[in-house]
Amino acid sequence: QVQLVESGGGLLQAGGSLRLSCVASGSAGSIKSLGWYRQAPGQQREWVAHIDSYGNTNYADSVKGRFTISADNAKNTIYLQMNSLKPEDTAVYYCKISTPWAEYWGQGTQVTVSS
């Protein structure tokens, strides 16, 4: 069983930066990808970014050029560096680990960006 715990969220003004962290515990076995998602109030959860087992990264168009996903295997931690934040980035941010047979989600961390 894998447990994921996100941290690093907060309240800040537009244009600011935050770094989210997601610490994994337990054994996931073979990992396909690590990802970040977000869910704004009244909206569906949406994909933000992911990094695959080869280190390739992909980003939603809405965050491309502003957000960076990375992973530190030694620390079992996934990061999301968020720069030039906008009010529309306000959401609960979730990390996810995907394996060939399961998906694991964290509990989420709130990011609120004021204009």
Side-chain angles (χ1 to χ4, degrees):
Q1 188 69 19
V2 174
Q3 290 188 328
L4 304 177
V5 179
E6 300 99 334
S7 63
L11 170 65
L12 74 165
Q13 291 188 330
S17 298
L18 277 178
R19 188 177 77 159
L20 305 183
S21 299
C22 172
V23 179
S25 60
S27 177
S30 177
I31 294 176
K32 287 174 53 179
S33 67
L34 310 170
W36 285 95
Y37 292 71
R38 66 187 182 186
Q39 187 167 18
Q43 298 187 20
Q44 291 188 334
R45 191 172 299 187
E46 65 172 0
W47 167 72
V48 174
H50 76 259
I51 182 168
D52 66 19
S53 58
Y54 299 99
N56 300 311
T57 58
N58 272 295
Y59 300 90
D61 288 343
S62 59
V63 307
K64 198 171 295 182
R66 300 188 297 122
F67 290 11
T68 303
I69 186 172
S70 62
D72 185 333
N73 293 332
K75 296 182 179 180
N76 292 330
T77 302
I78 313 164
Y79 300 101
L80 185 68
Q81 177 67 44
M82 306 186 294
N83 299 327
S84 302
L85 282 161
K86 305 175 181 180
E88 50 264 43
D89 294 318
T90 294
V92 177
Y93 284 72
Y94 300 89
C95 61
K96 185 180 83 168
I97 290 179
S98 298
T99 73
W101 47 84
E103 294 181 344
Y104 303 95
W105 291 88
Q107 84 291 347
T109 185
Q110 176 71 48
V111 173
T112 303
V113 185
S114 63
S115 57

